[in-house]
Each structure stands twice: as C-alpha cells, then as structure tokens.
C-alpha cells in the first residue's frame, strides 16, 4: 500500500546550524513530492516541491533531495533560524492519484537561539 | 498575497448535529480539496473537487460527508450527522494545477464534537 513516513519525529538544532529532515516513501508510482511547514494553529505552508525526474532542487535557504533508488526524500534548511521551528511534513502524489496528497507523519524541528 | 480563508476558526457541535465548514479558495484556482488532521496525527486527504464534481475521495469521506461549491467563491464541507471521532482540524486547500501542486492551505477549522 501507499505510505509516506519520517525517520525522525523530533530534531533540535542551534540557530545558524544546517538542518536535515528525512522522509521515506513506499509508493514507487509517486512522481511528485512536496515539503510543508506547519506552525502551531496554522495550516500547512508550501515550502518546496520536486518531481521524480529531478534529484535535487534548491529554493531560498532550502534544498530538497530525492533518491528514487531507496525512495528517500530530504529537506535541508541552511542557517536555521528560530522562525523555522515548526512541524515539517513531506507529502507525495502521483501514480493514479493526482488529486490527492499523502502526508507523512511529521518531524518537529526546534531551533534554539 | 492571496490566501485561502476558512470559517469558522472553531466550531463546537453536539454529536448527531449537522455542520457546514466554509472555505473561500484563491480566486483563480480550479482545484479544491478538503483535508483533516486529528490532533497529533498526520494530515489526511478527504476529497478533491474539480469542474463542479468530486474527482477523488478517500475512505474517510463516507455518505455523511458532502462538498459543494454553491457559488463562484465558496467551497463547503458538510458533515450530516457528526460523530465524536469527527473532531479534528479541517483544512481547505486550492490549487491551479492538477496533482495538488503547490496546493495552498487555509488556516483550518477546528471542529469539536461533544
């Protein structure tokens, strides 16, 4: 069946450090992946996405890496700031379900000043 | 910046009552979605809506649930007879491309069934 899961439920870093949040997916048919940030009491906020024909995509301070061989996705945040503290979800879509995002469990990122 | 807006922010209802959760998607978007998040759990897909009809729904979206786009701006989720386990955050999302690409989420409605 389909599933998207995260290796680490919590991550604590110091301000200025780089953060890496990991995600595993099991649906080989998935061809589109998104990272969302969710702050307390708010809805998921789009961070960055990547399609399966790419293995890396960069945004502002964020990089997403996709390893299709081992079905692994990661989000790298450079120079992490206290405002980055949130829950981070990976989500996948594709195969026969283009209208549906399947979310992972979430990783809590805490950035200490 | 355009955003998805949801009302109310918090709804308390008695078990067995009907509730309607309202959403105003981003104006030029064509794809609309409802998701829910039970406290402490992951976000779960409920339904997608395009061209005035449901394009996909999950197992959660049973006969107690319905969606409607009554006019050009609103998108509603109705739960006909609420159960305790319907208590969750309900998120509306909209996008301008198929596949939920860059789907923008609203702030959510917290539904509490007592």
């Amino acid at each position: 069946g389909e599933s998207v899961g995260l290796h680490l439920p919590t991550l604590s870093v110091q301000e200025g450090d780089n953060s890496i949040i990991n995600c595993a997916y099991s649906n080989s048919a998935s061809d589109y992946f998104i990272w969302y940030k969710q702050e307390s009491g708010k809805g998921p906020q789009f961070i960055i996405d990547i399609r399966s024909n790419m293995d890396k995509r960069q945004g502002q301070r964020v990089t997403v890496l996709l390893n299709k061989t081992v079905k692994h996705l990661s989000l790298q945040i450079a120079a992490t700031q206290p405002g980055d503290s949130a829950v981070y979800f990976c989500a996948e879509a594709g195969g026969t379900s283009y209208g549906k995002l399947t979310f992972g469990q979430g990783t809590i990122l805490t950035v200490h000043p | 910046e355009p955003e998805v807006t949801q009302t109310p922010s918090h709804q308390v209802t008695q078990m067995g009552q009907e509730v309607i959760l309202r959403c105003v998607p981003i104006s030029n978007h064509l794809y609309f979605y409802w998701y829910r998040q039970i406290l402490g759990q992951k976000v779960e897909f409920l339904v997608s809506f395009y061209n005035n009809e449901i394009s996909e729904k999950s197992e959660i979206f049973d006969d107690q649930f319905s969606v409607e786009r009554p006019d050009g701006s609103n998108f509603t989720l109705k739960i006909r007879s609420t159960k305790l386990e319907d208590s969750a955050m309900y998120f509306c999302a909209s996008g301008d491309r198929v596949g939920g690409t860059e789907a923008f989420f609203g702030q959510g409605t917290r539904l509490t069934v007592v």
Side-chain angles (χ1 to χ4, degrees), chain A residues 3-4 32 34 36 38 41-46 49 51 89 93 96-106, chain B residues 33 35 37 40-45 47-48 55-56 89 91 97-108:
Chain A
S3 70
V4 180
Y32 179 67
I34 311 174
Y36 284 93
Q38 186 177 28
K42 296 186 178 180
Q45 177 187 356
F46 174 92
D49 60 0
R51 295 203 174 273
F89 293 94
T96 58
S97 298
Y98 274 98
K100 165 187 171 183
L101 292 173
T102 300
F103 280 78
Q105 202 66 31
Chain B
Y33 311 89
Y35 288 80
Q37 186 178 31
Q41 298 186 23
K42 62 184 179 182
V43 178
E44 300 174 291
F45 170 80
V47 65
S48 58
S55 45
E56 189 166 2
M89 282 290 286
F91 293 107
R97 283 171 277 178
V98 71
T101 60
E102 295 193 45
F104 293 89
F105 283 74
Q107 298 285 61

Side-chain angles (χ1 to χ4, degrees), chain A residues 4-36:
Chain A
V4 180
L6 294 170
H7 293 302
L8 300 175
T10 62
L11 178 64
S12 292
V13 300
Q14 290 296 126
E15 182 178 1
D17 287 352
N18 296 333
S19 302
I20 300 176
I21 301 171
N22 297 301
C23 176
Y25 65 95
S26 61
N27 185 0
S28 300
S30 296
D31 58 5
Y32 179 67
F33 306 89
I34 311 174
W35 280 101
Y36 284 93

Side-chain angles (χ1 to χ4, degrees), chain B residues 1-35:
Chain B
E1 185 175 323
E3 59 180 15
V4 176
T5 57
Q6 290 185 242
T7 54
S9 56
H10 191 189
Q11 173 90 47
V12 181
T13 188
Q14 288 200 324
M15 191 169 54
Q17 294 298 303
E18 174 183 287
V19 293
I20 297 176
L21 309 183
R22 302 181 190 279
C23 170
V24 179
I26 294 172
S27 62
N28 62 338
H29 285 181
L30 301 175
Y31 301 88
F32 313 111
Y33 311 89
W34 282 101
Y35 288 80

